[in-house]
Amino acid sequence: MTSPDPGPDPAGPDRPDRPEGRDRPDRPDRPEGPPSWSGPPQPAPPRDLYPPQRLSTLSLIVGPLQTLQNLAVPLIAVLFFGRFSSQSFVIAAVTVMLTLVATTIRWYTFTYRISPERVEIKQGLVGRSTRTIPIDRIRGVDVTANLLHRALGLAVVRIEAAAGGGAAEEGKLDAVMAPEAERIRALLLRRRAAITGTAPAGASADAGDGASAIDPYAPPAPDVVHHTTPWRWYLYAPLSGVYLLAPFAALAAIAGFIGQLGDELGLFSPERLRSIAEGLETVPYVLLAALAVLFVLLVPVVAVAAYTIANWAFTLREREGNLITARGLLTRHTVALERARVRGYELTDNPLGRVFRTVRLGAVMTGLGDTATRAQLLPIVPRRVAEAISGRVLGPYRGTLLPHPTSALRRRLVRAVVPWAVPAAAVLYLGWTWAVWPVIVLALLCSLVAVDLYRSLGHGYDGARLSVRSGSLDRRQAVVEARAVVGWRMTQTLSQRWAGLVTLTAAVGAGTGGYAAIDLDSAEAAGFAADVSPEWIRPFLEPDDDANEEPPASEGP
Amino acid sequence: MSQVRLRPPAHRVDRRAIWLWTLQALTGAITTVGLGCVGAAVISATRPGWLPEWLLDRTWLLPVVIGVLFLPEVTIAPVWRYRVHRWEVSADVVYTRAGWFSRTWQLVPVARVQTVDRTQGLLERLFGLATLRVTTASHAGSSLIVGLRDPVATELSETLAVQAGELRDDAT
């Protein structure tokens, strides 16, 4: 039985020696309160903000149920295969018992503690492991609760931290009481702000240097609600490619489940399959066609349903220097993003969304890596709403986007059309003249995308933020603060050189790491970079415009 | 937006870098041609049915084609690279140009530098050369200077590390 929590990786600067815990296998038998701390005695911390404690006792109900949920298929299979004999019942009962014992032991040995500097999570019966997360390393604290958790008033706290090497470390408290979860999150975020000195103006009063300034039971400061999605906007779901594919994914999942069940229970013998196939042949084609049409009609409905469940009551709030998004009907996801780490935002849309003027809004955050879904700030909303909120919450982009030279359009058209010459030539060589038309149509469609790709290219700078845009089927406009730029990269391929173009990338230590203005006029690129970061670029600009030859270079300094 | 362009960085890399790049390309070419010979031998031994007859009779073509494809990389590229690769370290920016038929200009402000690495591979040690790698919080903002004379690279890495520590500006 494997526990679902992160592996026993005792990372941390001050973890106690591990063999120490192993030397005392009898320790959990002691009837006293929370388990004593294994390892050498540590210098006593000033005062725990949260003394060592266990997860909620109610998680004793959720834990086994969740484990059994994963075991449901094998258990049912055992009962079926055993034809409900006493033996198969014994196997099932033993499994259930073991699950109960294992989750109880896990609950008993799992403790967490929050000291002024770090979170410590200890777990394990035989191989004790301690995970220490320094509070200043915490990237975010998420609170989620699925249906079962919510029925019992529980919530799961996920503490995400960046380890020294950059790999994500995580602490998971599964599960604590919901108010407790909120309190832990508020406490950790406030404490982190105090340590890193990024406390926002409003919250800095009580976030002094000492731990005594923080009272974990203080009522949280009032939230500022920036946005709550009205129910009408869930109808935008079909504008998202992902949710349009949802019904097909659901169909595939159901088929896969039936197949798996059938395999395990031996439902699909070759004879059975043959009889099913014969049965299908007798079904009139009209009925099959009607079913197909019905499925196609259902696609947007299912998309809206799936989208509504995932984004139910989407709210964007702000509290004590954190942007907090909450969404979901069955499982409620709450994500806190520290405002001090936001370097900009990204507006994403697709051609369908452009027709209806809708976009999605995501934050460009430092230290979040490529976990793009976590940085989502708004679901699909009208563009003017996204622009208003991003402008108000994260800062507006007041500039315009400058178009790129027409040679960029030529490049895109060539790339869209030329590849089709190969199938066209092959088709003509084979003498299938009728097949030329589909190839031409495809080439035309690609040219349309090429034109759109060109139209979406743009770059601009308004004195505080730079913005670049590119893409067609997945168009992204990034708006990034100029102070977040950590370098510039300009690349030019041979074909770009012929066309007089370059790609200029603003390196940013946040989001995807770099935001590129693709196929910029090569005469404009240096000027654009120099506008954004003059002190770095100016010294390297050509003294006069027409000096085209290379100045003599020295051999080293 | 003004019509200005970047001047190339001031310094070339060491001339021995040409030989370094030639040797590196040659190693790659010989390995791949060797693999091609093995592949050709396997093909002529098994004679798979989906290949046309005339090709099966001329399996020696495979390593030859691979060798021809590697030819520019071994002969032209090193000299071309030497003409393109340049670097300059001003008071607050590391400026490099690299590539051969595709080019990359990179400007990394020293204030945003996180690490400075000097590395020396086996071949580089043979030629007394070293590579300097300057990294920032972004992968797109990291710079590489290949083919520096080792003493130059060592000195640069030390001064850069000191400068980065002094100028460090934690905007990210």
Side-chain angles (χ1 to χ4, degrees):
Chain A
M1 214 143 307
T2 52
S3 54
D5 44 85
D9 176 21
D14 58 350
R15 67 186 164 90
D17 287 336
R18 238 175 118 211
E20 191 74 26
R22 218 168 264 170
D23 289 339
R24 313 189 225 165
D26 59 332
R27 205 189 36 70
D29 294 339
R30 293 185 202 162
E32 72 214 23
S36 60
W37 302 104
S38 57
Q42 298 168 352
R47 184 170 70 96
D48 278 354
L49 300 177
Y50 243 80
Q53 55 190 286
R54 296 208 179 88
L55 299 171
S56 164
T57 32
L58 284 175
S59 69
L60 278 172
I61 302 173
V62 182
L65 282 176
Q66 276 175 340
T67 314
L68 287 175
Q69 198 184 329
N70 297 334
L71 290 173
V73 172
L75 272 182
I76 292 169
V78 163
L79 287 176
F80 265 97
F81 273 123
R83 301 192 186 289
F84 300 99
S85 66
S86 56
Q87 222 174 353
S88 62
F89 270 114
V90 167
I91 291 173
V94 166
T95 313
V96 172
M97 282 303 294
L98 282 177
T99 310
L100 284 174
V101 170
T103 47
T104 310
I105 290 176
R106 207 175 80 74
W107 171 81
Y108 184 82
T109 56
F110 188 106
T111 59
Y112 62 96
R113 176 174 84 130
I114 302 172
S115 79
E117 268 75 46
R118 55 190 156 266
V119 181
E120 263 181 20
I121 295 171
K122 303 201 176 199
Q123 58 183 317
L125 175 61
V126 182
R128 295 283 293 165
S129 85
T130 307
R131 167 158 295 181
T132 308
I133 303 173
I135 289 181
D136 56 344
R137 285 282 181 78
I138 291 176
R139 299 291 199 208
V141 183
D142 296 356
V143 176
T144 51
N146 64 24
L147 211 54
L148 192 57
H149 287 129
R150 286 164 77 186
L152 294 169
L154 291 170
V156 180
V157 181
R158 232 181 235 103
I159 304 163
E160 231 169 274
E169 285 272 302
E170 199 184 56
K172 190 173 165 194
L173 307 179
D174 182 5
V176 296
M177 298 305 292
E180 190 83 3
E182 279 301 316
R183 216 156 39 219
I184 291 172
R185 183 178 65 189
L187 170 68
L188 286 178
L189 296 180
R190 225 180 307 162
R191 186 66 204 140
R192 176 184 67 182
I195 294 175
T196 56
T198 52
S204 55
D206 63 335
D209 48 348
S212 52
I214 291 181
D215 175 10
Y217 296 95
D223 296 2
V224 181
V225 178
H226 288 301
H227 170 78
T228 309
T229 307
W231 65 268
R232 296 188 309 280
W233 293 352
Y234 297 129
L235 298 177
Y236 288 138
L239 303 182
S240 151
V242 179
Y243 283 99
L244 267 188
L245 291 179
F248 297 97
L251 206 68
I254 291 170
F257 180 71
I258 291 174
Q260 199 183 2
L261 209 64
D263 276 349
E264 293 201 29
L265 305 182
L267 285 180
F268 299 136
S269 58
E271 300 84 54
R272 178 70 71 80
L273 283 179
R274 206 168 302 131
S275 72
I276 290 175
E278 279 163 9
L280 276 182
E281 273 171 25
T282 61
V283 176
Y285 286 116
V286 183
L287 188 63
L288 286 179
L291 278 175
V293 168
L294 191 71
F295 182 76
V296 170
L297 286 178
L298 271 177
V299 164
V301 176
V302 177
V304 169
Y307 180 82
T308 307
I309 290 170
N311 289 305
W312 181 256
F314 194 110
T315 53
L316 173 66
R317 287 174 295 147
E318 185 167 358
R319 182 205 295 166
E320 296 180 354
N322 290 283
L323 291 169
I324 300 168
T325 60
R327 64 184 174 88
L329 180 63
L330 302 179
T331 300
R332 193 99 183 121
H333 292 274
T334 312
V335 180
L337 303 168
E338 193 184 357
R339 258 198 77 158
R341 289 187 191 278
V342 177
R343 293 287 176 273
Y345 49 92
E346 233 180 349
L347 296 162
T348 317
D349 59 22
N350 57 24
L352 209 56
R354 259 166 271 157
V355 173
F356 290 88
R357 293 171 196 281
T358 59
V359 288
R360 281 175 296 148
L361 179 70
V364 172
M365 306 268 305
T366 65
L368 212 58
D370 44 81
T371 48
T373 48
R374 283 203 58 230
Q376 187 194 12
L377 288 182
L378 288 180
I380 306 172
V381 298
R383 174 173 278 277
R384 57 183 169 75
V385 173
E387 278 173 354
I389 290 177
S390 60
R392 197 171 66 229
V393 179
L394 305 170
Y397 173 69
R398 293 205 175 82
T400 50
L401 288 178
L402 301 170
H404 290 199
T406 42
S407 47
L409 172 62
R410 207 156 48 233
R411 267 191 102 204
R412 273 157 190 73
L413 282 174
V414 167
R415 263 188 287 184
V417 174
V418 167
W420 295 107
V422 178
V427 156
L428 286 177
Y429 176 76
L430 291 169
W432 302 344
T433 36
W434 57 268
V436 172
W437 294 108
V439 173
I440 289 176
V441 167
L442 284 171
L444 278 175
L445 281 176
C446 285
S447 325
L448 281 179
V449 173
V451 171
D452 192 48
L453 275 171
Y454 169 70
R455 277 161 44 97
S456 68
L457 287 181
H459 67 280
Y461 177 59
D462 73 348
R465 294 178 180 78
L466 66 119
S467 180
V468 292
R469 190 177 66 186
S470 63
S472 167
L473 300 180
D474 179 42
R475 189 177 76 160
R476 284 160 188 276
Q477 180 185 0
V479 176
V480 179
E481 291 169 25
R483 67 177 179 101
V485 174
V486 297
W488 290 94
R489 168 177 288 177
M490 200 162 84
T491 53
Q492 191 177 43
T493 62
L494 201 57
S495 69
Q496 275 181 315
R497 177 140 29 125
W498 290 335
L501 301 169
V502 293
T503 293
L504 180 73
T505 307
V508 174
T512 56
Y515 293 91
I518 301 164
D519 283 354
L520 211 59
D521 190 337
S522 61
E524 255 175 44
F528 179 59
D531 283 348
V532 179
S533 11
E535 70 279 22
W536 303 335
I537 311 288
R538 282 275 157 76
F540 302 108
L541 292 181
E542 216 51 278
D544 43 61
D545 238 357
D546 48 1
N548 246 346
E549 67 213 60
E550 305 245 309
S554 73
E555 292 267 355
Chain B
M1 204 151 298
S2 47
Q3 299 265 316
V4 289
R5 50 181 79 236
L6 287 168
R7 66 170 170 78
H11 313 298
R12 282 196 205 282
V13 297
D14 195 83
R15 193 174 278 277
R16 279 172 290 183
I18 299 176
W19 293 108
L20 173 73
W21 285 318
T22 311
L23 217 63
Q24 278 174 341
L26 211 59
T27 322
I30 288 170
T31 316
T32 322
V33 169
L35 284 174
C37 288
V38 172
V42 169
I43 289 172
S44 58
T46 56
R47 299 186 75 85
W50 49 271
L51 281 174
E53 199 64 26
W54 62 270
L55 209 62
L56 287 174
D57 293 336
R58 294 174 182 78
T59 46
W60 49 267
L61 269 173
L62 183 65
V64 168
V65 166
I66 292 173
V68 169
L69 285 176
F70 264 96
L71 213 58
E73 177 84 32
V74 177
T75 54
I76 307 168
V79 179
W80 199 345
R81 267 187 213 282
Y82 175 71
R83 297 177 65 87
V84 174
H85 278 241
R86 288 189 179 208
W87 62 275
E88 182 175 347
V89 178
S90 77
D92 46 8
V93 177
V94 180
Y95 176 30
T96 57
R97 187 176 74 177
W100 49 310
F101 67 78
S102 293
R103 293 172 181 198
T104 305
W105 292 256
Q106 182 90 50
L107 292 119
V108 177
V110 179
R112 306 293 165 87
V113 167
Q114 288 191 327
T115 61
V116 183
D117 298 318
R118 185 198 66 98
T119 55
Q120 212 179 15
L122 191 67
L123 284 179
E124 285 175 308
R125 195 170 295 178
L126 214 64
F127 290 105
L129 298 174
T131 298
L132 195 73
R133 183 191 296 271
V134 178
T135 55
T136 64
S138 156
H139 64 84
S142 299
S143 200
L144 198 67
I145 314 177
V146 187
L148 290 172
R149 268 191 308 129
D150 188 28
V152 177
T154 311
E155 195 198 319
L156 262 181
S157 73
E158 278 160 13
T159 48
L160 272 178
V162 172
Q163 266 182 308
E166 282 167 1
L167 293 173
R168 184 108 185 89
D169 147 19
D170 239 337
T172 51

